[in-house]
C-alpha cells in the first residue's frame, strides 16, 4: 500500500514499484527479485547459525574466565573460527558436522583479546595433551620471567591461569571444568617446570583448554588487586577437540 503526504510525496508500494521519501524528494525503486536459495546455500547458512550458537555457548561457559576482558569483536571472530574448523570436515555432509565430530585444531592459538595478544605477553612453552583415561595434562615449561613475560608498567606480579572447560554441547546439560594457576614474579631468576593433571573428563565431551595471564598488585589489607582490563588481558586457546 502507498500513501501520499501533505506535500504530495508518495511513500509505499504500488505494484512492482517502491516509492520513498529521501530529503523531501520522491524516489522510485523497482521491487527486488526474490532470491532463490539452493539447498546447499540453506544448509551452509544453517551451519553458520549453529556455529554462532556454539560460540555463544562457549562464551557463556568462559564468562568467569574472560571476565569481559576481551576485544569488541571476539564473539564474531570465535564464530568464524568455529565455522572454519567445521568447514574443514570433508568426511561428513553439510548439516551433520559438529564440534564433536570435526577436527577443531583451527581454534588453537585463538586470541580472546587482540588488544594484548597472549603470544606477545607470554613466551614460555605450554604443552597440552589428553591421556587415554581422558585426563588433561598441562606442562608449563621452565621460565625466566624477566625475559619471557611482558609485565604491566605498574606491577611485577603476574599469575598464569589455566582452565579446562568441556561440554557435550547440548544446552542445559552439566559441564566439566577444572583449573589451576601459577604465581610468577618478574624478579624471580627461574620459575620451575609445572606439570598438572586434571580429573577425568566425561566421555563424548568437547574439550577446550585456555590460558590467561593476570596481573595484580599486592595490598597487605585486601590481598591481590587484579588490574586486567579490556586493553590488557592476554588470553588464548591452547587445546580444542573432542575426546
Amino acid at each position: 500500500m502507498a500513501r501520499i503526504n501533505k506535500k504530495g510525496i508518495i511513500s509505499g508500494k504500488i505494484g512492482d514499484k517502491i516509492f520513498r521519501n529521501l530529503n523531501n524528494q520522491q524516489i522510485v525503486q523497482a521491487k527486488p527479485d526474490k532470491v532463490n536459495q539452493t539447498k546447499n546455500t540453506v544448509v551452509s547458512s544453517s551451519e553458520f547459525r549453529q556455529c554462532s550458537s556454539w560460540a555463544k555457548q562457549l562464551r557463556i561457559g568462559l564468562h568467569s574466565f574472560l571476565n569481559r576482558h576481551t576485544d569488541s569483536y571476539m564473539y564474531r571472530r570465535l564464530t568464524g573460527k568455529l565455522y572454519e574448523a567445521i568447514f574443514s570436515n570433508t568426511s561428513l555432509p553439510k548439516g551433520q558436522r559438529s564440534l564433536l565430530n570435526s577436527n577443531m585444531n583451527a581454534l588453537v592459538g585463538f586470541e580472546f583479546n587482540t588488544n594484548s595478544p597472549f603470544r606477545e605477553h607470554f613466551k614460555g612453552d605450554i604443552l597440552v595433551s589428553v591421556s587415554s583415561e581422558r585426563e588433561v595434562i598441562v606442562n608449563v615449561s621452565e621460565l625466566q620471567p624477566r625475559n619471557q613475560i611482558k609485565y604491566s608498567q605498574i606491577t611485577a606480579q603476574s599469575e598464569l591461569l589455566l582452565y579446562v572447560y568441556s561440554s557435550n554441547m547440548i544446552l542445559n546439560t552439566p559441564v566439566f571444568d577444572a583449573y589451576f594457576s601459577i604465581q610468577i614474579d618478574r624478579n624471580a631468576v627461574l620459575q620451575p617446570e609445572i606439570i598438572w593433571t586434571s580429573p577425568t573428563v566425561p566421555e563424548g565431551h568437547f574439550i577446550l583448554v585456555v590460558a590467561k595471564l593476570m596481573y595484580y598488585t599486592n595490598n597487605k589489607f585486601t590481598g591481590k588487586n587484579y588490574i586486567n582490563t579490556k586493553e590488557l588481558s592476554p588470553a588464548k586457546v591452547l587445546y580444542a577437540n573432542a575426546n
Side-chain angles (χ1 to χ4, degrees):
M1 182 191 300
R3 293 180 178 150
I4 302 177
N5 65 18
K6 293 181 180 180
K7 295 183 179 181
I9 294 178
I10 303 172
S11 62
K13 182 175 67 173
I14 300 178
D16 62 349
K17 299 292 188 294
I18 298 174
F19 295 80
R20 297 173 54 214
N21 179 1
L22 182 63
N23 297 327
N24 291 321
Q25 291 187 348
Q26 186 76 73
I27 302 294
V28 182
Q29 295 175 307
K31 183 180 178 181
D33 294 332
K34 183 178 179 180
V35 177
N36 294 319
Q37 289 186 308
T38 65
K39 183 177 179 180
N40 284 341
T41 302
V42 172
V43 174
S44 294
S45 177
S46 176
E47 264 193 342
F48 189 82
R49 285 196 301 271
Q50 183 61 65
C51 286
S52 180
S53 176
W54 285 326
K56 181 179 180 180
Q57 191 173 340
L58 292 176
R59 179 167 54 92
I60 292 172
L62 296 174
H63 176 77
S64 296
F65 171 81
L66 295 172
N67 197 26
R68 298 181 181 179
H69 292 153
T70 66
D71 63 75
S72 301
Y73 299 101
M74 185 278 289
Y75 177 62
R76 292 185 193 175
R77 294 190 297 104
L78 181 58
T79 301
K81 272 297 177 184
L82 288 174
Y83 187 67
E84 178 185 331
I86 296 298
F87 191 78
S88 68
N89 183 353
T90 57
S91 62
L92 289 174
K94 294 178 180 179
Q96 295 183 22
R97 305 181 292 194
S98 75
L99 277 65
L100 299 176
N101 60 28
S102 302
N103 186 332
M104 301 304 295
N105 282 338
L107 277 178
V108 175
F110 178 83
E111 297 278 0
F112 290 102
N113 193 333
T114 55
N115 298 317
S116 52
F118 187 89
R119 66 179 181 276
E120 294 180 5
H121 288 73
F122 187 89
K123 301 292 186 179
D125 294 323
I126 307 176
L127 301 178
V128 179
S129 60
V130 178
S131 71
S132 58
E133 289 78 27
R134 301 192 306 279
E135 299 166 324
V136 177
I137 303 169
V138 180
N139 185 318
V140 182
S141 66
E142 185 178 81
L143 286 168
Q144 294 179 334
R146 188 175 291 275
N147 298 326
Q148 293 181 283
I149 296 179
K150 184 178 180 181
Y151 283 84
S152 164
Q153 294 180 349
I154 64 174
T155 184
Q157 303 295 327
S158 67
E159 188 172 338
L160 178 64
L161 175 63
L162 284 300
Y163 181 47
V164 178
Y165 171 88
S166 74
S167 168
N168 61 7
M169 302 312 295
I170 299 174
L171 288 175
N172 302 319
T173 57
V175 301
F176 167 92
D177 66 352
Y179 67 93
F180 77 102
S181 62
I182 307 169
Q183 296 182 36
I184 307 174
D185 189 321
R186 179 177 59 191
N187 297 318
V189 177
L190 205 62
Q191 178 70 38
E193 176 187 36
I194 298 289
I195 299 177
W196 174 83
T197 302
S198 79
T200 300
V201 178
E203 189 173 2
H205 270 213
F206 172 69
I207 301 174
L208 193 69
V209 183
V210 292
K212 179 179 181 180
L213 198 58
M214 301 191 296
Y215 299 98
Y216 64 91
T217 57
N218 283 313
N219 184 295
K220 66 180 180 180
F221 300 109
T222 60
K224 293 179 181 176
N225 291 332
Y226 291 100
I227 61 173
N228 285 42
T229 65
K230 280 182 172 289
E231 295 302 318
L232 179 65
S233 192
K236 79 170 184 178
V237 174
L238 300 175
Y239 178 93
N241 244 321
N243 76 85

